[in-house]
């Protein structure tokens, strides 16, 4: 009986130790606005936030937990309890990417903050409280709007762009140079980072160089910018120079993943990439494996790597001499 009790006691200790084993996966939390947020993908909707795509560029040792939400400023994110929800999930060693500005610029009192004052205060609060819980804050400034107008059009609310059609778009003539729309809201995060010795990624400069490099016409391909009949999910078209489509979100996410690894070299060992990603939640380039395979086999690339995030899948039959390779992640498996 004594031996049985001893074995039972040892098993209980072992079970407790296993249960107490810390989560080895590092989480990258994202807090911010619609440019980073997860999106509704029902009905074939094409809008994506760069934070929605970021998991595609880090392996399974990193978990991206995206809390960015459409229309939120640093103020409304706090007041709605969204920041408290992140703090409750955070564990020592996790990262928090902090990116606001688009909506802090807006006039409504429930969102508006001032750079050099209340905006900086909120950013500092995110930094301080992340550190208090053993997390690692990363400040980013806001990504650019695609504004090639000499004078930026009035923009009282980026969220209203989703209800517009192509014909509602601004009729002003565009020039060759991208013009800033953020002013001191793009400067404040760098200032706070310098004062508090925080990691900083200049997302504004990165996306400025991207859009300016593409130019007036090609930069439209990053955004929810479609002519009537061009995209089934927005049959009347749209001229949205703020929000990204699937392609744009992945281009920006890839650039920001590289910038994060440059700023925080330890993340480089978790950096990954693939030619295409399939994910039913909309984080990848494709929702359907069949669609990804069709695109891969139609391409002339000598080798195509398709990564699959989670789920069970029927392994497709590939054409003879196909150069398609599959990478299964997040527990993805073949049926």
């Amino acid at each position: 009986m004594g031996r049985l009790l001893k074995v039972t006691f040892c098993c209980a200790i072992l079970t407790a130790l296993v249960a107490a084993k810390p989560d080895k996966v590092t989480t990258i939390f994202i807090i911010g606005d619609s440019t980073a947020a997860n999106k509704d993908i029902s009905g074939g909707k094409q809008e994506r936030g760069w934070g929605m795509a970021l998991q595609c560029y880090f392996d399974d040792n990193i978990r991206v937990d995206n809390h960015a939400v459409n229309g939120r400023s640093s103020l409304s994110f706090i007041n709605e309890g969204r920041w408290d929800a992140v703090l409750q999930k955070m564990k020592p060693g996790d990262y928090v990417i902090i990116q606001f500005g688009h909506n802090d610029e807006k006039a409504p009192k429930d969102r508006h903050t001032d750079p050099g004052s209340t905006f900086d205060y909120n950013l500092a609060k995110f930094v301080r409280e992340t550190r208090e819980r053993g997390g690692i804050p990363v400040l980013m400034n806001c990504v650019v709007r695609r504004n090639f107008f000499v004078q930026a059009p009035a923009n009282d609310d980026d969220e209203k762009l989703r209800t517009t059609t192509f014909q509602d778009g601004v009729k002003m003539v565009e020039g060759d140079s991208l013009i800033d729309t953020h002013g001191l809201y793009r400067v404040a995060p760098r200032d706070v980072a310098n004062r508090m010795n925080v990691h900083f990624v200049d997302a504004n400069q990165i996306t400025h160089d991207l859009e300016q490099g593409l130019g007036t016409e090609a930069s439209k391909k990053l955004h929810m910018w479609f002519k009537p009949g061009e995209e089934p999910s927005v049959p009347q078209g749209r001229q949205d120079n703020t929000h990204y489509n699937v392609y744009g979100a992945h281009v920006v996410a890839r650039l920001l993943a590289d910038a994060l690894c440059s700023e925080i070299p330890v993340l480089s060992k978790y950096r990954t990439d693939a030619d295409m990603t399939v994910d039913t939640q909309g984080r990848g380039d494709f929702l359907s494996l069949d669609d990804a395979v069709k695109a891969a086999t139609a391409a002339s690339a000598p080798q195509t790597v398709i990564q699959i995030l989670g789920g069970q899948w029927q392994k497709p039959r590939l054409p003879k001499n196909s150069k398609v390779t599959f990478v299964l992640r997040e527990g993805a498996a073949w049926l």
Side-chain angles (χ1 to χ4, degrees):
M1 177 64 76
R3 183 178 178 183
L4 179 59
L5 286 172
K6 184 176 181 180
V7 170
T8 302
F9 176 76
C10 289
C11 288
I13 292 293
L14 180 60
T15 301
L17 288 173
V18 170
K21 184 179 178 180
D23 186 353
K24 296 297 185 182
V25 175
T26 298
T27 300
I28 296 178
F29 294 97
I30 302 172
I31 63 173
D33 55 44
S34 59
T35 58
N38 292 344
K39 307 293 181 175
D40 175 14
I41 63 172
S42 64
K45 294 183 179 69
Q46 294 295 297
E47 186 181 329
R48 301 289 190 273
W50 68 260
M52 192 173 182
L54 190 64
Q55 185 69 75
C56 300
Y57 304 101
F58 287 98
D59 67 23
D60 288 354
N61 292 291
I62 297 290
R63 179 191 300 116
V64 176
D65 191 354
N66 187 12
H67 288 252
V69 181
N70 293 354
R72 270 53 180 191
S73 69
S74 64
L75 177 63
S76 61
F77 196 88
I78 293 169
N79 288 344
E80 292 174 2
R82 298 178 185 279
W83 175 234
D84 287 340
V86 173
L87 289 175
Q88 290 172 12
K89 297 178 71 174
M90 195 184 307
K91 64 183 188 299
D94 287 341
Y95 294 86
V96 182
I97 296 174
I98 304 157
Q99 186 190 65
F100 290 97
H102 275 83
N103 298 302
D104 289 77
E105 302 168 2
K106 304 304 190 311
K109 292 182 179 180
D110 62 340
R111 292 194 290 176
H112 183 77
T113 65
D114 293 308
S117 177
T118 47
F119 186 43
D120 298 46
Y121 176 84
N122 289 341
L123 297 181
K125 173 184 172 69
F126 295 137
V127 168
R128 184 177 64 255
E129 294 180 358
T130 296
R131 285 174 165 169
E132 287 172 355
R133 285 160 177 75
I136 303 163
V138 182
L139 282 168
M140 284 188 183
N141 50 9
C142 39
V143 296
V144 298
R145 295 185 180 94
R146 183 196 160 277
N147 175 53
F148 284 91
F149 305 113
V150 175
Q151 181 179 356
N155 179 27
D156 60 340
D157 192 346
D158 291 293
E159 301 308 303
K160 292 180 181 178
L161 292 168
R162 294 192 187 88
T163 63
T164 62
T165 68
F166 188 86
Q167 296 303 321
D168 298 323
V170 178
K171 305 302 189 294
M172 297 164 61
V173 176
E174 293 183 318
D176 295 326
S177 297
L178 191 73
I179 307 298
D180 173 58
T181 66
H182 296 302
L184 293 177
Y185 289 92
R186 65 182 172 84
V187 178
R190 183 194 294 276
D191 290 345
V192 174
N194 287 337
R195 289 197 300 271
M196 301 186 74
N197 192 27
V198 182
H199 291 297
F200 174 72
V201 170
D202 196 342
N204 188 269
Q205 188 64 53
I206 290 168
T207 51
H208 172 278
D209 293 347
L210 168 65
E211 306 245 12
Q212 182 65 69
L214 288 171
T216 308
E217 287 302 315
S219 60
K220 294 174 183 176
K221 298 182 184 301
L222 301 171
H223 294 276
M224 289 298 294
W225 215 106
F226 300 106
K227 294 180 180 178
E230 194 172 36
E231 166 51 44
S233 63
V234 283
Q236 293 182 299
R238 187 171 298 165
Q239 295 186 47
D240 182 339
N241 294 311
T242 297
H243 302 108
Y244 300 119
N245 57 29
V246 175
Y247 170 72
H250 280 270
V251 171
V252 172
R254 186 179 283 109
L255 290 172
L256 294 182
D258 287 339
L260 281 167
C261 292
S262 178
E263 174 66 21
I264 309 170
V266 70
L267 291 176
S268 298
K269 61 183 178 180
Y270 308 120
R271 178 74 170 84
T272 190
D273 213 333
D275 299 295
M276 302 173 184
T277 301
V278 179
D279 174 53
T280 58
Q281 300 175 45
R283 293 173 294 172
D285 309 276
F286 296 94
L287 301 172
S288 160
L289 180 56
D290 287 342
D291 288 343
V293 170
K294 287 177 184 177
T297 53
S300 57
Q303 181 74 37
T304 302
V305 177
I306 300 176
Q307 63 178 348
I308 304 172
L309 305 185
Q312 293 187 321
W313 305 82
Q314 189 70 46
K315 192 168 186 179
R317 292 184 178 181
L318 299 173
K320 188 176 181 180
N321 299 323
S322 171
K323 300 296 183 181
V324 175
T325 301
F326 298 103
V327 176
L328 302 180
R329 294 183 48 193
E330 295 187 350
W334 300 120
L335 291 171

